Coordinates of all heavy atoms in Angstrom, one line a residue:
M1 N -27.7 30.5 -43.9 CA -26.5 30.5 -44.3 C -26.2 29.4 -45.4 O -26.8 28.4 -45.4 CB -25.5 30.1 -43.1 CG -24.0 30.0 -43.6 SD -22.9 29.9 -42.2 CE -22.5 31.6 -42.0
I2 N -25.3 29.7 -46.4 CA -24.9 28.8 -47.4 C -23.5 28.5 -47.1 O -22.7 29.4 -46.9 CB -25.1 29.4 -48.8 CG1 -26.6 29.7 -49.1 CG2 -24.5 28.6 -49.9 CD1 -26.9 30.4 -50.3
N3 N -23.2 27.2 -47.2 CA -21.7 26.8 -47.1 C -21.3 26.0 -48.4 O -22.1 25.1 -48.9 CB -21.6 25.8 -45.9 CG -22.0 26.4 -44.5 OD1 -21.5 27.5 -44.2 ND2 -22.9 25.8 -43.9
V4 N -20.2 26.3 -48.8 CA -19.7 25.7 -50.1 C -18.4 25.1 -49.8 O -17.5 25.7 -49.4 CB -19.5 26.6 -51.3 CG1 -19.2 26.0 -52.5 CG2 -20.9 27.4 -51.5
T5 N -18.4 23.7 -49.9 CA -17.0 23.0 -49.6 C -16.0 23.3 -50.7 O -16.3 23.8 -51.8 CB -17.3 21.5 -49.6 OG1 -17.6 21.2 -51.0 CG2 -18.3 21.1 -48.7
K6 N -14.7 23.1 -50.3 CA -13.6 23.4 -51.2 C -13.8 22.6 -52.5 O -13.6 23.2 -53.7 CB -12.3 23.1 -50.6 CG -11.8 24.1 -49.6 CD -11.5 25.5 -50.2 CE -11.0 26.3 -49.0 NZ -11.0 27.7 -49.6
P7 N -14.1 21.3 -52.5 CA -14.3 20.6 -53.8 C -15.4 21.3 -54.7 O -15.2 21.3 -55.9 CB -14.6 19.1 -53.4 CG -14.2 18.9 -52.0 CD -14.2 20.3 -51.4
A8 N -16.4 21.7 -54.1 CA -17.5 22.4 -54.8 C -16.9 23.7 -55.4 O -17.2 24.0 -56.6 CB -18.7 22.5 -54.0
Q9 N -16.3 24.4 -54.7 CA -15.7 25.8 -55.1 C -14.8 25.5 -56.3 O -14.8 26.2 -57.2 CB -14.9 26.4 -54.1 CG -15.8 26.9 -52.8 CD -15.0 27.6 -51.8 OE1 -13.9 28.3 -52.0 NE2 -15.3 27.3 -50.5
E10 N -14.0 24.4 -56.3 CA -13.0 24.1 -57.4 C -13.8 23.9 -58.5 O -13.4 24.2 -59.6 CB -12.2 23.0 -56.9 CG -11.1 23.4 -55.8 CD -10.4 22.2 -55.2 OE1 -10.5 21.0 -55.7 OE2 -9.7 22.3 -54.2
Q11 N -14.9 23.1 -58.5 CA -15.7 22.6 -59.7 C -16.3 24.0 -60.3 O -16.3 24.1 -61.5 CB -16.7 21.7 -59.4 CG -16.2 20.3 -59.0 CD -15.5 19.7 -60.3 OE1 -16.0 19.7 -61.3 NE2 -14.3 19.1 -60.1
V12 N -16.8 24.8 -59.4 CA -17.5 26.0 -59.9 C -16.4 26.8 -60.6 O -16.6 27.4 -61.7 CB -18.1 26.7 -58.8 CG1 -18.6 28.1 -59.2 CG2 -19.4 26.0 -58.3
R13 N -15.2 27.1 -60.0 CA -14.2 27.8 -60.7 C -13.7 27.3 -62.0 O -13.5 28.1 -62.9 CB -13.0 28.0 -59.7 CG -13.2 28.8 -58.5 CD -13.5 30.2 -58.8 NE -12.3 31.0 -59.3 CZ -12.4 32.2 -59.5 NH1 -13.5 32.8 -59.7 NH2 -11.3 32.8 -60.0
M14 N -13.7 25.9 -62.1 CA -13.3 25.4 -63.3 C -14.5 25.6 -64.4 O -14.2 25.8 -65.6 CB -13.1 23.8 -63.2 CG -11.8 23.5 -62.5 SD -11.4 21.7 -62.4 CE -12.8 20.8 -62.7
Y15 N -15.6 25.6 -64.0 CA -16.8 25.9 -64.9 C -16.7 27.4 -65.4 O -16.8 27.6 -66.7 CB -18.1 25.8 -64.2 CG -19.4 26.3 -65.1 CD1 -19.8 25.6 -66.2 CD2 -19.9 27.6 -64.9 CE1 -20.8 26.0 -66.9 CE2 -20.8 28.1 -65.7 CZ -21.3 27.4 -66.7 OH -22.3 27.8 -67.5
F16 N -16.2 28.3 -64.6 CA -16.3 29.6 -64.9 C -14.9 30.0 -65.7 O -14.7 31.2 -66.2 CB -16.4 30.6 -63.8 CG -17.9 30.8 -63.4 CD1 -18.4 30.4 -62.1 CD2 -18.8 31.3 -64.3 CE1 -19.6 30.5 -61.8 CE2 -20.1 31.5 -64.0 CZ -20.6 31.2 -62.7
E17 N -14.1 29.1 -65.8 CA -12.7 29.4 -66.4 C -12.9 30.0 -67.8 O -13.5 29.3 -68.7 CB -11.8 28.1 -66.4 CG -10.4 28.4 -66.8 CD -9.5 27.2 -66.5 OE1 -9.4 26.8 -65.3 OE2 -8.9 26.6 -67.4
G18 N -12.4 31.1 -68.1 CA -12.5 31.8 -69.4 C -13.9 32.4 -69.6 O -14.2 32.8 -70.7
K19 N -14.8 32.4 -68.6 CA -16.1 33.0 -68.8 C -16.3 34.1 -67.7 O -15.7 34.1 -66.6 CB -17.2 31.9 -68.5 CG -17.2 30.8 -69.5 CD -18.2 29.8 -69.0 CE -18.0 28.5 -69.8 NZ -18.8 27.3 -69.2
E20 N -17.3 34.9 -67.9 CA -17.8 35.9 -66.9 C -18.4 35.1 -65.7 O -19.2 34.3 -65.9 CB -18.6 36.9 -67.5 CG -19.0 38.0 -66.6 CD -20.0 38.9 -67.2 OE1 -20.2 39.0 -68.4 OE2 -20.6 39.6 -66.4
I21 N -17.9 35.5 -64.5 CA -18.6 35.0 -63.4 C -19.9 35.6 -63.1 O -19.9 36.8 -63.0 CB -17.6 35.1 -62.2 CG1 -16.3 34.2 -62.3 CG2 -18.3 34.6 -60.9 CD1 -15.2 34.5 -61.3
T22 N -20.9 34.9 -63.0 CA -22.2 35.3 -62.7 C -22.7 34.6 -61.3 O -22.3 33.5 -61.0 CB -23.2 35.1 -63.8 OG1 -23.4 33.7 -64.1 CG2 -22.9 35.9 -65.1
P23 N -23.7 35.3 -60.7 CA -24.2 34.6 -59.4 C -24.9 33.3 -59.8 O -25.4 33.0 -60.8 CB -25.2 35.5 -58.9 CG -24.8 36.9 -59.6 CD -24.3 36.5 -60.9
I24 N -24.7 32.4 -58.7 CA -25.4 31.0 -58.8 C -26.6 31.0 -57.9 O -26.4 31.3 -56.7 CB -24.4 30.0 -58.5 CG1 -23.3 29.9 -59.5 CG2 -25.0 28.5 -58.3 CD1 -22.2 28.9 -59.1
R25 N -27.8 30.8 -58.4 CA -29.0 30.8 -57.5 C -29.2 29.4 -57.1 O -29.1 28.4 -57.7 CB -30.2 31.2 -58.4 CG -31.5 31.1 -57.5 CD -32.7 31.9 -58.2 NE -32.4 33.3 -58.3 CZ -32.5 34.2 -57.4 NH1 -32.7 33.9 -56.1 NH2 -32.1 35.4 -57.6
I26 N -29.6 29.3 -55.8 CA -30.0 28.1 -55.1 C -31.6 28.3 -55.0 O -32.0 29.2 -54.5 CB -29.5 27.9 -53.7 CG1 -28.0 28.0 -53.7 CG2 -29.8 26.5 -53.1 CD1 -27.2 27.2 -54.6
F27 N -32.3 27.3 -55.6 CA -33.7 27.4 -55.7 C -34.4 26.1 -55.4 O -33.8 25.1 -55.4 CB -34.1 27.9 -57.0 CG -33.9 27.0 -58.2 CD1 -34.8 26.1 -58.7 CD2 -32.6 27.1 -58.8 CE1 -34.6 25.3 -59.7 CE2 -32.4 26.3 -59.8 CZ -33.3 25.4 -60.3
L28 N -35.7 26.1 -55.1 CA -36.6 25.0 -54.7 C -36.8 24.4 -56.2 O -37.5 24.8 -57.0 CB -37.9 25.3 -54.1 CG -38.7 24.3 -53.4 CD1 -37.8 23.3 -52.6 CD2 -40.0 24.7 -52.9
N29 N -36.4 23.1 -56.3 CA -36.5 22.4 -57.6 C -37.8 21.7 -57.7 O -38.6 21.6 -58.7 CB -35.4 21.5 -57.8 CG -35.4 20.8 -59.2 OD1 -35.7 21.5 -60.1 ND2 -34.9 19.5 -59.2
S30 N -38.2 21.1 -56.6 CA -39.6 20.4 -56.6 C -40.0 20.1 -55.2 O -39.3 20.1 -54.2 CB -39.4 19.0 -57.3 OG -38.5 18.1 -56.5
A31 N -41.3 19.9 -55.0 CA -41.8 19.6 -53.6 C -42.8 18.4 -53.8 O -43.9 18.4 -53.3 CB -42.5 20.8 -53.0
G32 N -42.5 17.4 -54.7 CA -43.4 16.3 -54.9 C -43.2 15.2 -53.8 O -42.9 15.4 -52.8
C33 N -43.5 14.1 -54.2 CA -43.6 12.9 -53.3 C -42.2 12.7 -52.6 O -42.1 12.3 -51.6 CB -44.1 11.6 -54.1 SG -44.3 10.2 -53.0
G34 N -41.2 12.8 -53.5 CA -39.8 12.7 -52.8 C -39.3 13.8 -51.9 O -38.3 13.7 -51.3
G35 N -40.2 14.7 -51.8 CA -39.9 15.9 -50.9 C -39.3 17.0 -51.7 O -38.8 16.8 -52.8
P36 N -39.1 18.1 -51.0 CA -38.6 19.3 -51.7 C -37.0 19.0 -51.9 O -36.4 18.3 -51.1 CB -38.7 20.4 -50.6 CG -39.4 19.8 -49.4 CD -39.6 18.4 -49.7
S37 N -36.5 19.5 -53.0 CA -35.1 19.5 -53.3 C -34.6 20.8 -53.7 O -35.4 21.6 -54.2 CB -34.8 18.3 -54.3 OG -35.4 18.6 -55.5
L38 N -33.4 21.1 -53.6 CA -32.8 22.2 -54.1 C -31.9 22.1 -55.3 O -31.4 20.9 -55.5 CB -31.9 22.9 -52.9 CG -32.6 23.3 -51.7 CD1 -31.5 23.8 -50.6 CD2 -33.5 24.4 -51.9
A39 N -31.7 23.0 -56.1 CA -30.9 23.0 -57.3 C -30.3 24.3 -57.5 O -30.5 25.2 -56.8 CB -31.9 22.6 -58.5
M40 N -29.3 24.3 -58.6 CA -28.6 25.5 -58.7 C -28.6 26.0 -60.2 O -28.8 25.1 -61.1 CB -27.1 25.2 -58.5 CG -26.7 24.9 -57.0 SD -24.9 24.9 -56.6 CE -24.3 23.7 -57.9
A41 N -28.6 27.2 -60.5 CA -28.6 27.7 -61.8 C -28.0 29.2 -61.8 O -28.1 29.8 -60.8 CB -30.1 27.8 -62.4
L42 N -27.5 29.5 -63.0 CA -27.0 30.9 -63.0 C -28.1 31.9 -63.2 O -29.2 31.5 -63.8 CB -26.2 31.1 -64.3 CG -25.0 30.1 -64.5 CD1 -24.3 30.3 -65.9 CD2 -24.0 30.2 -63.3
D43 N -28.0 33.0 -62.5 CA -29.0 33.9 -62.3 C -28.6 35.2 -61.9 O -27.4 35.5 -61.6 CB -30.2 33.5 -61.3 CG -31.5 34.1 -61.6 OD1 -31.7 34.9 -62.5 OD2 -32.5 33.8 -60.7
E44 N -29.5 36.3 -62.0 CA -29.1 37.7 -61.5 C -29.7 37.8 -60.1 O -30.8 37.2 -59.7 CB -29.8 38.6 -62.4 CG -29.1 38.6 -63.8 CD -29.8 39.6 -64.8 OE1 -30.5 40.6 -64.2 OE2 -29.6 39.6 -65.9
K45 N -29.0 38.7 -59.2 CA -29.4 39.0 -57.9 C -30.7 39.8 -57.9 O -30.9 40.6 -58.8 CB -28.4 39.7 -57.1 CG -27.1 39.0 -56.8 CD -26.2 39.8 -55.9 CE -25.4 40.8 -56.7 NZ -24.4 41.4 -55.9
K46 N -31.6 39.5 -56.9 CA -32.8 40.3 -56.6 C -32.7 41.0 -55.3 O -31.9 40.5 -54.4 CB -34.0 39.4 -56.8 CG -34.2 38.7 -58.1 CD -35.4 37.7 -58.1 CE -35.4 37.0 -59.5 NZ -36.4 36.0 -59.4
D47 N -33.5 41.9 -55.0 CA -33.4 42.6 -53.7 C -33.9 41.7 -52.6 O -33.5 41.9 -51.4 CB -34.5 43.8 -53.8 CG -34.0 44.9 -54.7 OD1 -32.9 45.0 -55.0 OD2 -34.9 45.7 -55.1
T48 N -34.6 40.6 -52.8 CA -34.9 39.7 -51.8 C -34.0 38.6 -51.5 O -34.4 37.6 -50.9 CB -36.4 39.0 -52.1 OG1 -36.3 38.4 -53.4 CG2 -37.5 40.2 -52.3
D49 N -32.9 38.6 -52.1 CA -31.9 37.5 -52.1 C -30.9 37.7 -50.8 O -30.5 38.8 -50.6 CB -31.0 37.4 -53.3 CG -31.8 36.8 -54.4 OD1 -32.7 36.1 -54.2 OD2 -31.5 37.1 -55.6
A50 N -30.5 36.6 -50.3 CA -29.4 36.5 -49.3 C -28.2 36.3 -50.3 O -28.4 35.4 -51.2 CB -29.6 35.4 -48.3
V51 N -27.0 36.9 -50.0 CA -25.9 36.6 -50.8 C -24.6 36.1 -50.1 O -24.5 36.7 -48.9 CB -25.5 37.9 -51.6 CG1 -24.3 37.7 -52.5 CG2 -26.6 38.5 -52.4
F52 N -24.0 35.0 -50.4 CA -22.9 34.5 -49.8 C -21.8 34.3 -50.8 O -22.1 33.8 -52.0 CB -23.1 33.1 -49.2 CG -24.2 33.2 -48.1 CD1 -25.5 33.2 -48.5 CD2 -23.9 33.5 -46.8 CE1 -26.6 33.2 -47.5 CE2 -24.9 33.6 -45.9 CZ -26.3 33.5 -46.1
T53 N -20.7 34.8 -50.6 CA -19.6 34.7 -51.5 C -18.4 33.7 -51.1 O -18.0 33.9 -50.0 CB -18.9 36.2 -51.7 OG1 -19.9 37.1 -52.1 CG2 -17.8 36.2 -52.8
F54 N -18.0 32.9 -52.1 CA -17.0 32.0 -51.9 C -16.1 31.9 -53.0 O -16.6 31.8 -54.2 CB -17.5 30.5 -51.7 CG -18.3 30.3 -50.4 CD1 -19.7 30.5 -50.4 CD2 -17.7 29.8 -49.2 CE1 -20.4 30.4 -49.3 CE2 -18.5 29.8 -48.1 CZ -19.8 30.0 -48.1
D55 N -14.8 32.2 -52.9 CA -13.9 32.2 -53.9 C -14.3 33.1 -55.1 O -14.3 32.7 -56.3 CB -13.6 30.8 -54.4 CG -12.3 30.6 -55.3 OD1 -11.4 31.5 -55.2 OD2 -12.3 29.7 -56.1
E56 N -14.7 34.3 -54.8 CA -15.2 35.2 -55.7 C -16.5 35.0 -56.3 O -16.9 35.8 -57.4 CB -14.0 35.6 -56.6 CG -12.8 36.1 -56.0 CD -11.7 36.5 -57.0 OE1 -12.0 36.5 -58.3 OE2 -10.6 36.6 -56.6
V57 N -17.1 33.9 -56.1 CA -18.5 33.5 -56.7 C -19.6 33.8 -55.8 O -19.4 33.4 -54.6 CB -18.4 32.1 -57.2 CG1 -19.8 31.6 -57.8 CG2 -17.3 31.7 -58.2
E58 N -20.7 34.5 -56.2 CA -21.8 34.8 -55.4 C -22.8 33.7 -55.5 O -23.2 33.3 -56.6 CB -22.4 36.1 -55.8 CG -21.7 37.3 -55.4 CD -22.1 38.7 -55.8 OE1 -22.9 38.6 -56.9 OE2 -22.0 39.6 -54.9
Y59 N -23.3 33.2 -54.4 CA -24.3 32.2 -54.2 C -25.6 33.0 -53.7 O -25.4 33.5 -52.6 CB -23.9 31.0 -53.4 CG -22.7 30.3 -54.0 CD1 -21.4 30.7 -53.8 CD2 -22.9 29.0 -54.6 CE1 -20.3 30.0 -54.4 CE2 -21.9 28.4 -55.3 CZ -20.6 28.9 -55.1 OH -19.6 28.1 -55.6
I60 N -26.6 33.0 -54.4 CA -27.8 33.7 -54.0 C -28.9 32.8 -53.7 O -29.1 31.8 -54.4 CB -28.1 34.8 -55.1 CG1 -28.3 34.1 -56.4 CG2 -27.0 35.8 -55.2 CD1 -28.8 35.1 -57.5
M61 N -29.8 33.2 -52.9 CA -31.0 32.4 -52.6 C -32.1 33.4 -51.8 O -31.7 34.3 -51.1 CB -30.7 31.3 -51.5 CG -31.7 30.3 -51.1 SD -31.0 29.0 -50.1 CE -32.4 27.9 -50.2
D62 N -33.3 33.2 -52.2 CA -34.3 34.0 -51.8 C -34.3 33.8 -50.2 O -34.2 32.7 -49.6 CB -35.7 33.5 -52.2 CG -36.8 34.4 -51.8 OD1 -37.1 35.5 -52.2 OD2 -37.4 33.9 -50.6
Q63 N -34.3 34.9 -49.5 CA -34.2 35.0 -48.1 C -35.3 34.1 -47.4 O -35.0 33.4 -46.4 CB -34.3 36.4 -47.6 CG -33.1 37.3 -48.0 CD -33.1 38.6 -47.4 OE1 -34.0 39.1 -46.7 NE2 -32.1 39.4 -47.9
N64 N -36.6 34.1 -47.9 CA -37.7 33.4 -47.3 C -37.4 31.9 -47.5 O -37.6 31.2 -46.6 CB -39.0 33.8 -47.9 CG -39.5 35.2 -47.5 OD1 -39.1 35.6 -46.4 ND2 -40.2 35.9 -48.5
L65 N -37.0 31.4 -48.5 CA -36.6 30.0 -48.8 C -35.5 29.7 -47.9 O -35.5 28.5 -47.3 CB -36.3 29.8 -50.2 CG -35.8 28.4 -50.6 CD1 -36.9 27.3 -50.2 CD2 -35.5 28.3 -52.1
L66 N -34.5 30.5 -47.7 CA -33.3 30.1 -47.0 C -33.7 30.1 -45.5 O -33.2 29.1 -44.9 CB -32.2 31.3 -47.0 CG -30.9 31.1 -46.3 CD1 -30.3 29.7 -46.7 CD2 -30.0 32.3 -46.4
E67 N -34.6 30.9 -45.0 CA -35.2 30.7 -43.6 C -35.8 29.3 -43.5 O -35.7 28.7 -42.5 CB -36.1 31.8 -43.3 CG -35.4 33.2 -43.2 CD -36.5 34.3 -42.9 OE1 -37.6 34.1 -42.6 OE2 -36.0 35.5 -43.1
K68 N -36.6 28.9 -44.5 CA -37.2 27.5 -44.3 C -36.3 26.4 -44.4 O -36.4 25.4 -43.9 CB -38.3 27.4 -45.4 CG -39.5 28.5 -45.3 CD -40.5 28.3 -46.5 CE -41.5 29.4 -46.3 NZ -42.3 29.4 -47.4
A69 N -35.2 26.5 -45.4 CA -34.4 25.5 -45.7 C -33.2 25.4 -44.6 O -32.7 24.3 -44.4 CB -33.7 25.7 -47.0
G70 N -33.1 26.5 -43.8 CA -31.9 26.4 -42.8 C -30.6 26.4 -43.4 O -30.6 26.8 -44.8
P71 N -29.6 26.1 -42.9 CA -28.3 26.1 -43.5 C -28.3 25.2 -44.8 O -28.8 24.1 -44.7 CB -27.3 25.6 -42.5 CG -28.0 25.6 -41.2 CD -29.5 25.6 -41.4
V72 N -27.7 25.7 -45.8 CA -27.5 24.9 -47.1 C -26.2 24.5 -47.3 O -25.2 25.4 -47.3 CB -28.2 25.6 -48.4 CG1 -28.0 24.9 -49.6 CG2 -29.6 26.0 -48.1
D73 N -25.8 23.3 -47.4 CA -24.4 22.8 -47.6 C -24.3 22.4 -49.1 O -25.1 21.5 -49.5 CB -24.1 21.7 -46.8 CG -24.1 22.2 -45.3 OD1 -23.4 23.2 -45.0 OD2 -24.5 21.4 -44.4
I74 N -23.4 22.9 -49.8 CA -23.2 22.6 -51.2 C -21.9 21.8 -51.3 O -20.9 22.3 -50.8 CB -23.1 23.8 -52.1 CG1 -24.4 24.5 -52.0 CG2 -22.8 23.3 -53.5 CD1 -24.4 25.9 -52.7
D75 N -21.8 20.6 -51.8 CA -20.6 19.7 -52.0 C -20.6 19.2 -53.4 O -21.5 19.2 -54.1 CB -20.7 18.6 -50.8 CG -19.4 17.9 -50.7 OD1 -18.3 18.4 -51.2 OD2 -19.3 16.9 -50.2
F76 N -19.4 18.9 -53.7 CA -19.2 18.1 -55.0 C -18.5 16.7 -54.7 O -17.5 16.7 -54.1 CB -18.3 18.9 -56.0 CG -18.2 18.2 -57.3 CD1 -19.2 18.5 -58.3 CD2 -17.2 17.4 -57.6 CE1 -19.2 17.9 -59.5 CE2 -17.1 16.8 -58.8 CZ -18.0 17.1 -59.8
A77 N -19.2 15.7 -55.1 CA -18.6 14.4 -54.9 C -18.9 13.4 -56.1 O -20.0 13.6 -56.6 CB -19.2 13.6 -53.6
G78 N -17.9 12.8 -56.6 CA -18.1 12.0 -57.7 C -18.4 12.7 -59.0 O -17.4 13.4 -59.4
T79 N -19.6 12.7 -59.4 CA -19.9 13.3 -60.8 C -20.9 14.5 -60.6 O -21.3 15.0 -61.6 CB -20.5 12.2 -61.7 OG1 -21.7 11.7 -61.2 CG2 -19.5 11.2 -62.0
G80 N -21.2 14.9 -59.4 CA -22.1 15.9 -59.3 C -22.2 16.7 -58.0 O -21.6 16.3 -57.0
F81 N -23.0 17.7 -58.1 CA -23.1 18.6 -56.9 C -24.2 17.9 -55.9 O -25.1 17.3 -56.4 CB -23.6 20.0 -57.2 CG -22.3 20.7 -57.8 CD1 -22.3 20.9 -59.1 CD2 -21.5 21.4 -57.0 CE1 -21.2 21.5 -59.7 CE2 -20.4 22.2 -57.6 CZ -20.3 22.2 -58.9
R82 N -24.0 18.0 -54.6 CA -25.0 17.6 -53.7 C -25.4 18.8 -52.9 O -24.6 19.4 -52.2 CB -24.5 16.4 -52.9 CG -25.5 15.9 -52.0 CD -24.9 14.7 -51.1 NE -23.9 15.1 -50.3 CZ -22.7 14.4 -50.0 NH1 -22.6 13.3 -50.6 NH2 -21.9 14.8 -49.2
L83 N -26.6 19.2 -52.7 CA -27.1 20.2 -51.9 C -27.9 19.6 -50.7 O -28.9 18.8 -51.0 CB -28.1 21.2 -52.7 CG -27.3 22.0 -53.7 CD1 -26.9 21.4 -55.0 CD2 -28.2 23.2 -54.0
E84 N -27.5 20.0 -49.6 CA -28.3 19.4 -48.4 C -28.8 20.5 -47.5 O -28.1 21.6 -47.5 CB -27.3 18.5 -47.5 CG -26.9 17.3 -48.2 CD -26.1 16.4 -47.4 OE1 -25.8 16.7 -46.2 OE2 -25.6 15.4 -47.9
S85 N -30.0 20.4 -47.0 CA -30.6 21.4 -46.2 C -31.5 20.8 -45.2 O -31.7 19.5 -45.2 CB -31.4 22.4 -47.0 OG -32.6 21.9 -47.5
A86 N -32.2 21.6 -44.4 CA -33.1 21.1 -43.4 C -34.6 20.9 -44.1 O -35.5 20.4 -43.3 CB -33.3 22.1 -42.3
L87 N -34.8 21.0 -45.3 CA -36.1 20.8 -45.9 C -36.3 19.3 -45.8 O -35.5 18.4 -46.1 CB -36.0 21.1 -47.4 CG -35.9 22.6 -47.8 CD1 -35.7 22.8 -49.2 CD2 -37.1 23.3 -47.2
K88 N -37.6 18.9 -45.5 CA -38.1 17.6 -45.2 C -38.9 17.1 -46.3 O -39.6 17.9 -47.0 CB -38.8 17.5 -43.8 CG -38.0 18.0 -42.6 CD -36.9 17.0 -42.3 CE -36.2 17.5 -41.1 NZ -34.8 17.3 -41.1
P89 N -39.0 15.7 -46.5 CA -39.9 15.2 -47.5 C -41.3 15.6 -47.2 O -41.6 15.8 -46.0 CB -39.7 13.6 -47.4 CG -38.3 13.6 -46.8 CD -38.1 14.8 -45.9
A90 N -42.1 15.7 -48.2 CA -43.5 16.0 -48.0 C -44.3 14.9 -47.1 O -44.1 13.8 -47.3 CB -44.3 16.1 -49.4
A91 N -45.1 15.5 -46.2 CA -45.7 14.5 -45.3 C -46.9 13.8 -46.0 O -47.5 14.5 -46.9 CB -46.3 15.3 -44.1
G92 N -47.1 12.6 -45.7 CA -48.3 11.9 -46.3 C -48.0 11.0 -47.5 O -48.8 10.2 -47.9
C93 N -46.7 11.1 -48.1 CA -46.4 10.3 -49.1 C -45.9 8.9 -48.6 O -45.1 8.9 -47.7 CB -45.3 10.9 -50.0 SG -45.8 12.2 -51.2
K94 N -46.5 7.9 -49.1 CA -45.9 6.5 -48.7 C -45.1 5.9 -49.6 O -44.7 4.8 -49.4 CB -47.3 5.7 -48.4 CG -48.1 6.2 -47.3 CD -49.3 5.3 -47.1 CE -50.2 5.9 -45.9 NZ -51.4 5.1 -45.8
G95 N -44.8 6.5 -50.7 CA -44.0 5.9 -51.7 C -44.4 6.4 -53.1 O -45.5 6.7 -53.4
C96 N -43.4 6.4 -54.0 CA -43.7 6.8 -55.4 C -43.5 5.6 -56.3 O -42.5 4.9 -56.2 CB -42.9 8.1 -55.8 SG -43.3 9.5 -55.0
S97 N -44.3 5.5 -57.3 CA -44.1 4.4 -58.4 C -44.8 5.0 -59.6 O -46.0 5.5 -59.6 CB -44.9 3.3 -57.9 OG -44.8 2.3 -58.8
G98 N -44.1 5.0 -60.7 CA -44.5 5.3 -61.9 C -45.0 6.8 -62.0 O -45.8 7.3 -62.7
G99 N -44.3 7.6 -61.2 CA -44.6 9.1 -61.2 C -45.8 9.4 -60.4 O -46.1 10.6 -60.3
T100 N -46.3 8.5 -59.6 CA -47.4 8.9 -58.8 C -47.2 8.4 -57.3 O -46.5 7.6 -57.1 CB -48.8 8.3 -59.2 OG1 -48.6 6.7 -59.2 CG2 -49.1 8.7 -60.6
C101 N -47.9 9.1 -56.5 CA -47.6 8.8 -55.0 C -48.7 7.8 -54.5 O -49.9 8.0 -54.9 CB -47.7 10.0 -54.1 SG -46.2 11.0 -54.3
G102 N -48.3 6.9 -53.7 CA -49.3 6.1 -53.0 C -50.0 6.8 -51.9 O -49.5 7.7 -51.4
S103 N -51.3 6.4 -51.6 CA -52.0 7.2 -50.6 C -52.3 6.2 -49.3 O -52.1 5.1 -49.5 CB -53.2 7.7 -51.1 OG -54.0 6.7 -51.7

C-alpha cells in the first residue's frame, strides 16, 4: 500500500497546476552502504505496477518492490518529500566515508 499525506498531496497538486497530470513512480533509488532508499519520478504505468490514486494523481510502484518495501508513506515536510518504508539498510556496512564503506 502507498499512503500520501495531505501536505504531500497539496505539493503534488501545485506541481501539476497548469500541466497534464501523469503518474508518479516510486522506485528503488539506491541500495548502497546507506541502505536502500525510495525516490519519485514521473513515468508511465506498466502491467506489473500497483496503482494508488490520491487527489486524482496516480502513484505507481512495481508490485514486487512494493511487496518488499511494505507500506510506503509519502510526506512533505520543510523543503522536500520524505518516503518511508520497511526497507532496511544493507547488512554488513559499518559506515561510509568518502563514498566507500568500511568493512
Side-chain angles (χ1 to χ4, degrees):
M1 172 171 273
I2 295 175
N3 302 304
V4 183
T5 66
K6 287 292 183 188
Q9 290 177 41
E10 291 169 5
Q11 288 297 314
V12 169
R13 290 299 286 175
M14 287 189 335
Y15 171 79
F16 281 120
E17 195 168 295
K19 300 175 188 169
E20 179 181 348
I21 297 175
T22 58
I24 297 175
R25 176 165 303 282
I26 311 303
F27 64 96
L28 189 61
N29 189 33
S30 69
C33 186
S37 65
L38 297 174
M40 300 188 307
L42 302 179
D43 200 3
E44 295 180 10
K45 286 188 283 189
K46 298 177 183 172
D47 292 339
T48 58
D49 287 333
V51 180
F52 299 87
T53 304
F54 293 88
D55 195 23
E56 300 179 14
V57 178
E58 292 180 321
Y59 295 80
I60 58 177
M61 188 172 184
D62 181 82
Q63 291 177 6
N64 291 329
L65 178 58
L66 182 57
E67 287 175 16
K68 293 175 187 174
V72 176
D73 295 315
I74 302 171
D75 191 15
F76 185 88
T79 60
F81 289 94
R82 185 176 63 217
L83 286 76
E84 294 185 7
S85 73
L87 291 173
K88 303 290 183 215
C93 281
K94 294 181 180 177
C96 293
S97 176
T100 61
C101 288
S103 53

